[in-house]
Amino acid sequence: MNFKLTIGWLYPDLMSTYGDRGNIICLEKRCNWRSIETKILPIEFATSTKELENCDIILGGGAQDRQQELAIKDLRENKGDTLKKMFQRGVPGLFVCGSPQLLGHYYMTGDGKKLEGLGIFDYVTKHAGLDKPRCIGNTVGVVTGINSLTEKPKNHLGGGRMDSPEVKESRRTIVGFENHGGRTYLGKDAKPFAKVLKGYGNNGEDGSEGSIYKNVIACYYHGPFLPKNPHIADWLLARALEIKYQKDIQLEPLDDTLEWQAHEFILRKLKI
Ligand code: GLN
């Protein structure tokens, strides 16, 4: 069977800071290596709901407060209901920093403007204030919101180090880079995506990182995130194929030696 995925990229001109575009390139490459056809659809103001509905996976990056204001206006007026329905039926997504702030109940910007969000996630985000320190730095977490990541991969092609103890242990860790003024506070219905091992996470106080709703990940991990976290990239791709083709998917394994080396380098650097 020839698989094909359409990857929707939310407002590439407004929302793609700190290398978030790398997440798109990573998914595209991992599909190409497996002969899965891909189409990248930039989701702009002019994108119709019909086009949006055709996406099999949605990615969103970070942004400054001003760009977030422009994006949320279009999301609330034109695209919010469609996105909600897609996520409810299991379409996966990855939203980094500024974009997930728009998927909660609201985001209070640095200059005190309240941007009403889409309410898909049960959380709120408040900027600490423009005169307050931002949450900046390399960050590491352990994924608590996805059980299947703990499974040992069935087999691997090449990459002799894939079965090394470090790799097995690191299959639930995530590494990235954060830079945000906003602090996110989860409500009782929000499931955390991960637990913070190094860095600030959602708010620098409660040790939670991001949130997960069905197959949608909200997180503060720039980096870009997916190239250094191939387990998350493949989790997203497998969910996208399962929802689209309505059957169990076992992705063909790739040689991720370099990817895991990059991942482990950060773990070592931060003394995890
Ligand atoms: N403007 C938001 C904040 O400062 C998001 C920043 C980002 O996406 N890196 O929290």
Side-chain angles (χ1 to χ4, degrees), residues 22-175:
N23 292 332
I24 303 281
I25 299 169
C26 174
L27 288 186
E28 195 179 20
K29 272 309 230 190
R30 297 183 76 80
C31 283
N32 295 166
W33 285 328
R34 296 172 165 121
S35 305
I36 300 168
E37 218 182 297
T38 49
K39 179 181 161 192
I40 310 297
L41 179 78
I43 302 167
E44 318 272 14
F45 292 158
T47 306
S48 68
T49 50
K50 201 153 180 43
E51 287 172 293
L52 181 57
E53 271 166 3
N54 281 333
C55 292
D56 303 304
I57 181 165
I58 310 275
L59 267 70
Q64 309 311 316
D65 289 7
R66 208 174 70 80
Q67 281 79 12
Q68 286 171 271
E69 196 174 341
L70 299 173
I72 193 60
K73 186 169 183 303
D74 183 52
L75 283 176
R76 279 179 65 85
E77 287 173 5
N78 304 312
K79 300 180 173 72
D81 292 342
T82 308
L83 279 177
K84 265 185 216 174
K85 283 187 198 136
M86 290 167 73
F87 296 153
Q88 272 161 6
R89 71 177 169 81
V91 170
L94 172 68
F95 297 92
V96 177
C97 202
S99 52
Q101 293 176 345
L102 306 179
L103 303 185
H105 298 301
Y106 66 82
Y107 170 47
M108 192 76 86
T109 65
D111 49 15
K113 212 181 270 179
K114 187 174 182 182
L115 307 181
E116 294 292 340
L118 295 184
I120 293 173
F121 284 88
D122 181 23
Y123 55 62
V124 301
T125 304
K126 299 171 200 172
H127 198 292
L130 296 173
D131 55 342
K132 297 279 178 337
R134 295 176 66 80
C135 303
I136 304 179
N138 287 316
T139 178
V140 175
V142 59
V143 176
T144 54
I146 303 175
N147 292 335
S148 54
L149 284 186
T150 55
E151 283 165 21
K152 191 171 173 292
K154 282 203 166 68
N155 52 19
H156 301 287
L157 292 181
R161 300 195 59 214
M162 284 298 287
D163 270 327
S164 70
E166 308 95 284
V167 171
K168 270 192 262 170
E169 278 163 26
S170 67
R171 283 189 60 77
R172 287 175 67 224
T173 51
I174 44 173
V175 301

Side-chain angles (χ1 to χ4, degrees), residues 151-247:
E151 283 165 21
K152 191 171 173 292
K154 282 203 166 68
N155 52 19
H156 301 287
L157 292 181
R161 300 195 59 214
M162 284 298 287
D163 270 327
S164 70
E166 308 95 284
V167 171
K168 270 192 262 170
E169 278 163 26
S170 67
R171 283 189 60 77
R172 287 175 67 224
T173 51
I174 44 173
V175 301
F177 167 78
E178 60 183 328
N179 185 347
H180 50 109
R183 270 68 164 171
T184 298
Y185 298 92
L186 304 184
K188 66 172 174 30
D189 291 332
K191 177 158 106 171
F193 170 49
K195 188 168 117 247
V196 177
L197 296 181
K198 274 277 157 70
Y200 299 89
N202 285 337
N203 48 51
E205 297 163 35
D206 63 18
S208 68
E209 164 54 44
S211 186
I212 184 155
Y213 166 72
K214 291 188 180 270
N215 292 325
V216 183
I217 297 170
C219 69
Y220 273 114
Y221 279 54
H222 293 289
F225 180 52
L226 294 180
K228 292 184 285 197
N229 296 280
H231 50 340
I232 308 294
D234 279 359
W235 182 83
L236 289 166
L237 290 177
R239 299 296 80 73
L241 291 167
E242 271 169 15
I243 295 296
K244 177 160 188 179
Y245 294 99
Q246 292 293 303
K247 60 180 198 170

